[in-house]
């Protein structure tokens, strides 16, 4: 597979030697893939650079400013494509605005300043975020993050803004209590009881700004997930056959050391996450998402793309935009690393068709080496990824 940009994708420029230049170039090229105008990408790019502040001018020759876990190489920016049948994928960008601050308090203040600047720019309220400030930004807050935001980029319109908060800010032992209290304050007093057993609560997220049905989302970590586990968690949202297919197609044929004593294939490396959405004050979830960290279960990104292609095709979606987006992000060969496609997610929202989201790494600082313990995929795509 060639690593050169395809026709219609702008090429990299010499200014991409700073963090800001690198991610701005990627945003510009990704925008061309999904049909955003140069005016749109210029506006969104400026918002991204403003939120990173001085860190945007940091040369890529220096190491990352902090050990952010937003990405494996500690880049503070990640992109994603939300794919649905018969439409152009939606482009999103996830950012850690306080990335350059080693102190969680300073990082939180930088993040809140960025959100409030957006609220002024796009005229949306922050009252829900304000109501949670003492829970998620306590004195002496702990990591691994203070605040992330994501922009759902829309042609000629204000973006949808999402804010991601850390339930373990007061310590992981308080995460469940923090999530429960946050849900209560947001009008979902009985929602916590609807969440599944958790190995952890990595994020609570809020939709701010221009959303038809703003959501509150709770992310749950699941250790040693199997396909049966995934089907049970999503039984009220989607088809068990589709969830099972997605699980096996993304996780692949796990090596023998990933089998439990009962022979059940389980995710023993980075764990899967589920996301449970709540809307309109109802205690029952209105949405369910299964996130699988595909980068930990493939040899390289060539295989990750093959798996993503199989999943998109199964759900009636065109994989062309994803393939072109990888070319827009990097000039390296896909079999030279693992992690450009970080996660694949199967998303269910009430009264909407399922969608597939691919989370794409910026790779500003490093490329993960291929995982040699996995054999190179040398079968035909249909046979290699067929699930009974």
């Amino acid at each position: 597979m060639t690593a050169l940009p395809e026709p219609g994708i702008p090429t990299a420029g010499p200014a991409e030697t700073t963090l800001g230049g690198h991610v701005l170039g990627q945003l510009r090229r990704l925008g061309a893939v999904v049909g955003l105008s140069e005016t749109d990408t210029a506006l969104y790019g400026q918002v991204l650079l403003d939120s990173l502040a001085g860190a945007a001018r940091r040369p890529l020759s220096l190491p990352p400013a902090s050990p952010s876990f937003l990405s494996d190489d500690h880049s503070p920016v990640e992109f994603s494509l939300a794919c649905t049948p018969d439409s152009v994928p939606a482009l999103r960008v996830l950012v850690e605005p306080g990335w350059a601050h080693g102190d969680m308090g300073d990082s939180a203040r930088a993040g809140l300043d960025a959100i409030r600047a957006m609220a002024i720019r796009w005229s949306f309220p922050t009252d829900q975020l304000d109501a949670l400030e003492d829970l998620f930004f306590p004195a002496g807050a702990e990591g691994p993050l203070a605040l992330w935001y994501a922009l759902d980029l829309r042609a000629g319109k204000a973006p949808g803004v999402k804010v991601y908060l850390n339930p373990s800010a007061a310590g992981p032992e308080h995460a469940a209590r923090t999530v429960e209290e946050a849900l209560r304050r947001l009008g979902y007093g009985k929602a916590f009881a609807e969440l599944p057993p958790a190995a952890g609560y990595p994020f609570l997220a809020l939709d701010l700004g221009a959303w038809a049905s703003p959501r509150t989302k709770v992310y749950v970590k699941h250790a040693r997930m199997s396909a049966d586990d995934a089907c049970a968690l999503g039984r009220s949202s989607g088809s068990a056959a589709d969830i099972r297919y997605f699980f096996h197609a993304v996780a692949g044929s796990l090596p023998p050391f990933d089998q439990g004593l009962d022979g059940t294939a389980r995710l023993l490396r980075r764990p899967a996450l589920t996301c449970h959405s709540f809307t309109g004050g109802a205690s029952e979830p209105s949405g369910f998402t299964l996130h699988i960290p595909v980068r930990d279960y493939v040899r390289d990104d060539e295989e990750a793309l093959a798996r993503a292609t199989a999943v998109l095709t199964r759900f009636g979606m065109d994989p062309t935009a994803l393939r072109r987006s990888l070319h827009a992000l990097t000039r390296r060969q896909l079999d030279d690393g693992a992690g450009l496609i970080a996660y694949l997610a199967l998303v269910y929202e009430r009264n909407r068709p399922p969608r597939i989201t691919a989370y794409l790494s910026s790779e500003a600082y490093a490329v993960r080496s291929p995982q040699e313990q996995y054999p190179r995929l040398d079968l035909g795509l249909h046979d290699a990824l067929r699930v009974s």
Side-chain angles (χ1 to χ4, degrees):
M1 179 181 292
T2 179
L4 294 176
E6 296 183 350
I9 301 177
T11 58
E16 297 182 22
T17 55
T18 63
L19 174 65
H22 179 77
V23 298
L24 196 60
Q26 291 177 319
L27 177 61
R28 180 173 57 93
R29 295 189 294 274
L30 287 168
V33 170
V34 300
L36 291 176
S37 70
E38 292 184 6
T39 300
D40 289 328
T41 53
L43 169 61
Y44 293 137
Q46 191 58 55
V47 170
L48 189 160
L49 295 182
D50 289 347
S51 69
L52 288 172
R57 298 187 293 274
R58 185 180 176 88
L60 291 181
S61 57
L62 296 177
S66 75
S68 170
F69 89 109
L70 188 150
S71 55
D72 286 344
D73 73 331
H74 311 307
S75 300
V77 175
E78 179 187 73
F79 300 96
S80 60
L81 286 181
C83 304
T84 53
D86 303 319
S87 62
V88 176
L91 175 62
R92 297 164 179 173
V93 57
L94 177 67
V95 182
E96 184 168 10
W99 170 75
H101 298 280
D103 177 79
M104 283 292 108
D106 292 339
S107 181
R109 282 185 285 275
L112 288 169
D113 287 347
I115 296 302
R116 287 170 180 150
M118 293 180 205
I120 292 170
R121 178 189 291 269
W122 288 305
S123 301
F124 62 81
T126 61
D127 51 318
Q128 287 190 315
L129 178 60
D130 299 338
L132 305 181
E133 196 165 334
D134 62 307
L135 287 177
F136 290 94
F137 309 113
E142 301 182 17
L145 77 146
L147 181 150
W148 296 347
Y149 75 80
L151 299 181
D152 186 84
L153 307 184
R154 300 165 183 174
K157 300 179 182 178
V161 180
K162 307 178 189 183
V163 177
Y164 294 81
L165 306 173
N166 174 24
S168 298
E173 69 275 16
H174 300 299
R177 190 185 334 167
T178 296
V179 169
E180 185 173 18
E181 174 60 15
L183 290 171
R184 186 192 68 78
R185 293 187 191 183
L186 295 169
Y188 301 101
K190 298 180 180 179
F192 187 79
E194 299 296 323
L195 295 174
Y201 300 92
F203 314 108
L204 183 140
L206 303 173
D207 285 348
L208 303 178
W211 297 95
S213 298
R215 299 159 298 171
T216 295
K217 301 188 295 182
V218 179
Y219 289 75
V220 178
K221 182 165 65 175
H222 302 275
R224 298 176 55 84
M225 178 182 277
S226 69
D228 287 342
D229 297 334
C231 291
L233 290 166
R235 65 182 179 275
S236 63
S237 299
S239 154
D242 284 347
I243 294 172
R244 186 177 300 278
Y245 175 86
F246 177 83
F247 182 94
H248 283 298
V250 175
S253 300
L254 304 177
F257 53 80
D258 276 344
Q259 305 282 341
L261 295 178
D262 60 355
T264 300
R266 297 184 179 275
L267 303 182
L268 298 188
R269 293 182 176 81
R270 202 181 316 244
L273 304 178
T274 58
C275 173
H276 307 266
S277 303
F278 299 91
T279 56
S283 295
E284 298 78 20
S286 61
F288 167 81
T289 304
L290 173 61
H291 298 262
I292 295 183
V294 63
R295 65 191 184 277
D296 289 309
Y297 300 96
V298 293
R299 183 186 186 279
D300 52 42
D301 284 303
E302 187 170 43
E303 184 174 346
L305 176 58
R307 295 189 186 185
T309 297
V311 167
L312 289 166
T313 302
R314 161 75 176 237
F315 286 88
M317 303 170 199
D318 185 352
T320 302
L322 175 59
R323 176 174 52 81
R324 296 186 73 228
S325 293
L326 299 183
H327 286 287
L329 284 171
T330 185
R331 301 185 70 176
R332 73 167 173 84
Q333 298 288 340
L334 293 182
D335 60 2
D336 284 343
L340 190 62
I341 304 177
Y343 276 86
L344 290 171
L346 173 60
V347 185
Y348 291 101
E349 288 288 344
R350 187 176 295 158
N351 301 322
R352 296 182 182 179
R355 69 175 182 266
I356 301 295
T357 301
Y359 294 82
L360 310 177
S361 300
S362 174
E363 293 188 338
Y365 292 98
V367 175
R368 287 181 62 189
S369 298
Q371 301 183 101
E372 301 295 343
Q373 71 269 31
Y374 290 108
R376 185 181 297 277
L377 186 66
D378 56 3
L379 301 175
L381 181 62
H382 176 75
D383 293 332
L385 299 178
R386 182 169 53 200
V387 178
S388 59

